[in-house]
Each structure stands twice: as structure tokens, then as C-alpha cells.
Amino acid sequence: AQKITQTQPGMFVQEKEAVTLDCTYDTSDQSYGLFWYKQPSSGEMIFLIYQGSYDEQNATEGRYSLNFQKARKSANLVISASQLGDSAMYFCAMSANNAGNMLTFGGGTRLMVKP
Amino acid sequence: GAGVSQSPRYKVAKRGQDVALRCDPISGHVSLFWYQQALGQGPEFLTYFQNEAQLDKSGLPSDRFFAERPEGSVSTLKIQRTQQEDSAVYLCASSSRTGPNSPLHFGNGTRLTVT
């Protein structure tokens, strides 16, 4: 079974600054994927970034980067140059090789960007 | 449309009523998932289809929950004799592939309120 833990229920960040959202995971699988999704107040889940367990480089997508530390089983999301539109819930999720692409989600972190 | 479409967007049901929630996945997507998201929490897996086959229904909370995808495209989640604890947002997601590195594309969800 997989487990995702997000220990920050809420975070504030000043506009234009960088912020790190924490995620730790637990799995016995050797092959797995780690994902981050953004959920604005409208409710849709927006895919942000993916990191495979065998990827040696940290994933980056525009202002999003994933700080993957395999030995620590952490997959923190870094958002650079925060914008007001980044205010939303952020969910870390993982899939494991034996579960197809079924995702297990963490409890989420609410990010609030201050002008 | 290009994305996953869910209807209705909102549903209010009296306790004991049956409800049916519809999901139109992205055309050609093989995998289809249903998730339940309680207020302030991360989505919880309900069930998974690969084409028309329901491969995993381990997340369905009771036998009052039933899902189908008879032709491998549109899916319906049915809840019989609704209870107050069924109040949640029901999210549908689809994916073009089945591997652990395939992101899920989510709809906007159906918010079910049982009174």
C-alpha cells in the first residue's frame, strides 16, 4: 500500500517569492511515480508535474520544480516567483507499478499568496 | 470538448434517494477512475475501469455504490439510498495509458449534498 503525507495544512507566501510545499511518501514498490496537482476554488484538479522513481534529474515545468530525495522518500514542490493565481489547494500523489496509474493522494496544502 | 466532463455539477438529494452521476472522459482514453473527495481532504479512490472492464472496485464504501462503463467511454456512478455521509465531491478522471507515469486528467466534479 502507498501512503502520502503532507504536513502543512496551510502556507502563506508573499507574491514573487518562492515557496516549498512538503510531501513525504511511503511505498514498498521499486517503481513508482510522484505527481503534484493544483485544485483552485473552482474544484478542478490540474496536473502540474511528474517525477518517476528512476529519474535521476529533478523534474521541472516552468515555475514548478520537484525536489526529489529518494532516500528520504520526499518529493517537495517548489514554486518560484509566486503569483496571486497560485492561491489554491495543492495535492501530492503517487502511483505504483503494481497499481497501474491509480493515484493515492495526500491531504493537501492550502497555499495563499499575499499581494 | 477537450476535457473530462461531469454532470450534474451540483446535486442535492434527500436521504434515501438514489442518484446517478455521469462522466464523459477524454475521447479515446482507456483508463477511467472515480474518486470521492470530502470537504478539506484529498481525493479517495473509489473504482477503476480499463475500457469497459471494472478492474478495481475496492474503494467503493458500501454495496450502495455501483459504477458502470458499458461501452468503454461514458461512465455512471450510482448511489442508492443516499446517506448524509455520502455528501462529497465526486471526481472522475481519465488517462490515455495505464502505466504509473501517466497523469490523470480530472473533471470539475459533482458536488453531492444529502439532506
Side-chain angles (χ1 to χ4, degrees):
Chain A
Q2 294 80 42
K3 184 177 180 181
I4 295 282
T5 302
Q6 295 180 252
T7 57
Q8 306 154 313
M11 290 277 288
F12 282 97
V13 64
Q14 198 68 40
E15 191 179 9
K16 300 181 184 177
E17 291 185 350
V19 63
T20 297
L21 306 184
D22 295 341
C23 172
T24 57
Y25 61 92
D26 191 21
T27 182
S28 56
D29 293 290
Q30 296 301 310
S31 177
Y32 51 87
L34 295 156
F35 301 79
W36 277 91
Y37 281 82
K38 172 184 178 180
Q39 189 176 43
S41 55
S42 58
E44 62 185 310
M45 295 282 281
I46 302 168
F47 166 67
L48 295 178
I49 196 167
Y50 162 80
Q51 178 85 41
S53 58
Y54 292 116
D55 294 342
E56 295 185 353
Q57 302 276 353
N58 284 342
T60 60
E61 288 287 348
R63 294 186 299 110
Y64 305 108
S65 60
L66 201 152
N67 184 0
F68 180 46
Q69 298 188 45
K70 194 169 183 177
R72 294 186 176 185
K73 292 190 174 181
S74 75
N76 299 339
L77 176 71
V78 180
I79 306 175
S80 63
S82 297
Q83 302 173 356
L84 295 178
D86 293 336
S87 294
M89 284 291 290
Y90 288 81
F91 291 97
C92 181
M94 75 177 298
S95 62
N97 197 45
N98 67 349
N101 53 349
M102 184 193 92
L103 293 179
T104 300
F105 285 86
T109 296
R110 180 171 296 281
L111 178 67
M112 291 151 283
V113 181
K114 298 186 289 184
Chain B
V4 177
S5 178
Q6 291 187 246
S7 60
R9 188 79 174 89
Y10 302 94
K11 177 69 180 179
V12 178
K14 291 187 177 179
R15 192 164 58 117
Q17 283 185 333
D18 298 348
V19 298
L21 312 180
R22 177 186 170 106
C23 173
D24 273 282
I26 294 172
S27 178
H29 275 198
V30 170
S31 299
L32 185 145
F33 295 81
W34 284 97
Y35 282 81
Q36 180 189 58
Q37 186 176 22
L39 187 64
Q41 298 183 22
E44 297 277 349
F45 168 78
L46 292 178
T47 187
Y48 162 56
F49 290 85
Q50 187 171 320
N51 296 307
E52 68 278 5
Q54 189 175 21
L55 299 186
D56 189 340
K57 54 181 182 179
S58 61
L60 296 177
S62 78
D63 59 7
R64 297 185 295 102
F65 286 71
F66 172 76
E68 60 184 4
R69 194 187 186 197
E71 297 178 359
S73 55
V74 171
S75 177
T76 304
L77 176 67
K78 297 178 179 178
I79 309 173
Q80 297 176 324
R81 304 181 304 280
T82 52
Q83 303 294 314
Q84 283 192 320
E85 61 263 27
D86 300 335
S87 296
V89 174
Y90 290 86
L91 294 167
C92 176
S94 70
S95 177
S96 59
R97 294 170 288 161
T98 58
N101 62 346
S102 307
L104 301 188
H105 301 270
F106 284 83
N108 286 349
T110 293
R111 181 178 297 278
L112 173 65
T113 303
V114 181
T115 61

